[in-house]
Amino acid sequence: MFFANGDRAVTYQQNEVIDAAVLERLNNAFNKTEHVYLNEMITTEHTLTFMYEPVTIMEAHNTIEPCDIVVEEARNFLIEKGFLK
């Protein structure tokens, strides 16, 4: 499940613990992948939080609600890396 987590973050959360090896693989992939709006990924046992700059997205897309755009980019990253289907 994705949800807005403050003004500059969206978080993917699941009930199951995310395996430490998977977290490491995702962190490495995040750092090696170019992102349009995602600046940082912070992980815990159950969550992946993606940080972004809302004003950049608001200006680029003429919107006052950038969260959906960030969720889509984060979801696509996780699908591409085989974490989500």
Side-chain angles (χ1 to χ4, degrees):
M1 161 181 65
F2 280 96
F3 60 90
N5 187 2
D7 293 335
R8 298 174 184 265
V10 296
T11 297
Y12 172 80
Q13 180 177 334
Q14 64 181 38
N15 291 331
E16 302 82 25
V17 171
I18 304 169
D19 183 84
V22 171
L23 288 176
E24 183 177 350
R25 181 176 57 81
L26 288 173
N27 270 318
N28 289 338
F30 185 86
N31 292 329
K32 293 178 182 174
T33 304
E34 290 208 22
H35 307 280
V36 178
Y37 299 118
L38 306 177
N39 299 329
E40 181 181 4
M41 184 175 71
I42 302 166
T43 63
T44 69
E45 287 184 334
H46 297 272
T47 66
L48 306 169
T49 297
F50 298 90
M51 306 302 293
Y52 65 97
E53 291 296 327
V55 174
T56 302
I57 301 167
M58 292 163 71
E59 291 174 345
H61 291 271
N62 196 28
T63 184
I64 59 169
E65 184 50 63
C67 182
D68 291 339
I69 296 165
V70 177
V71 167
E72 184 67 23
E73 185 175 359
R75 183 184 322 275
N76 288 342
F77 167 75
L78 294 175
I79 289 170
E80 178 183 303
K81 300 307 173 197
F83 184 75
L84 294 179
K85 294 180 182 183

